[in-house]
Amino acid sequence: MGLSFDRKTALWALLYAYLFTLAGIFTGGIKDQAQYGPDDVCLLFVAEEENAADQKVFESVSPACGITIGVGSLGLLLSALLCGFAMYFLLTNQPRAKRVIQSFALVGTLFTLVMLVGASLASAGLHKTCEALETASPDTSSCAAIFTRGFYSVQADKQVPEGKKLSTVDAAVTVGWLSVLSWGAYSAFEWYQWRVASQRWW
């Protein structure tokens, strides 16, 4: 069975690469810049706890980072798997059966809902964090300035500040919402494809 690579195949490959890239940016942004320290303390949904030695101590025990990173990782996996299956049908010139198209549409729809949860968590968590940090800041520093200044964690019995980039976390959150829209559009197109395929008997 010969393989056929045409413009349609290239466009579908680009679509899945786009979805994969969005998931990678969302996952990487949260994992790299919304966590700090050797224990990967989450910087989403932090809340002021108490003052200690003229320093603000915050409570950071939210599982939001782990959830959002998990959602992003799932996006990476699904986009890669869907791409692999789609390329098989496209390269071998085999039309997808109705049930196959329906499976693609269902996976896309379910992940759109999961991604909605992930993007909402990241967005709400970052808003809560910045609100808490700016309220507690003695010099009315902006959230971005506080992130840049860094957070403290105990490493080898020394207090070492670890700076983070709020702009990267903001970008990851924005990409998260873009992922929701993109997966939603993809799912809608697959449902349309399924409706068209329903006119066939196989």
Side-chain angles (χ1 to χ4, degrees), residues 18-19 21-23 25-26 111-112 115-116 119-120 170-186:
Y18 167 72
L19 294 175
T21 300
L22 290 180
I25 294 174
F26 178 73
F111 184 70
T112 299
M115 191 66 226
L116 178 62
S120 298
D170 271 328
V173 172
T174 300
V175 167
W177 287 110
L178 183 57
S179 294
V180 174
L181 295 176
S182 299
W183 276 93
Y186 165 75

Side-chain angles (χ1 to χ4, degrees), residues 7-166:
R7 183 178 180 183
K8 179 181 178 182
T9 303
L11 289 175
W12 276 102
L14 285 174
L15 170 63
Y16 289 115
Y18 167 72
L19 294 175
F20 186 88
T21 300
L22 290 180
I25 294 174
F26 178 73
T27 306
I30 298 298
K31 182 177 179 58
D32 187 55
Q33 296 299 319
Q35 299 183 125
Y36 79 96
D39 296 324
D40 289 331
V41 177
C42 184
L43 290 173
L44 300 178
F45 291 105
V46 303
E48 183 181 357
E49 188 175 27
E50 62 182 15
N51 292 323
D54 298 325
Q55 293 182 342
K56 295 291 182 180
V57 178
F58 293 91
E59 181 180 9
S60 303
V61 293
S62 171
C65 288
I67 294 173
T68 53
I69 291 171
V71 169
S73 299
L74 179 60
L76 289 170
L77 177 62
L78 289 180
S79 56
L81 287 176
L82 290 177
C83 181
F85 287 124
M87 289 302 103
Y88 168 78
F89 288 104
L90 289 165
L91 292 173
T92 57
N93 285 319
Q94 293 188 55
R96 293 183 299 171
K98 291 182 295 184
R99 286 174 295 181
V100 174
I101 299 174
Q102 186 179 41
S103 298
F104 275 60
L106 283 172
V107 169
T109 300
L110 290 174
F111 184 70
T112 299
L113 297 176
V114 172
M115 191 66 226
L116 178 62
V117 173
S120 298
L121 269 178
S123 184
L126 185 59
H127 175 75
K128 172 67 176 176
T129 293
C130 284
E131 186 179 63
L133 294 178
E134 290 175 350
T135 299
S137 176
D139 55 359
T140 64
S141 297
S142 67
C143 188
I146 297 172
F147 264 68
T148 301
R149 189 183 304 153
F151 301 90
Y152 289 85
S153 59
V154 178
Q155 297 179 357
D157 298 324
K158 294 177 65 177
Q159 290 286 331
V160 181
E162 184 177 343
K164 293 294 179 179
K165 293 182 179 179
L166 179 63

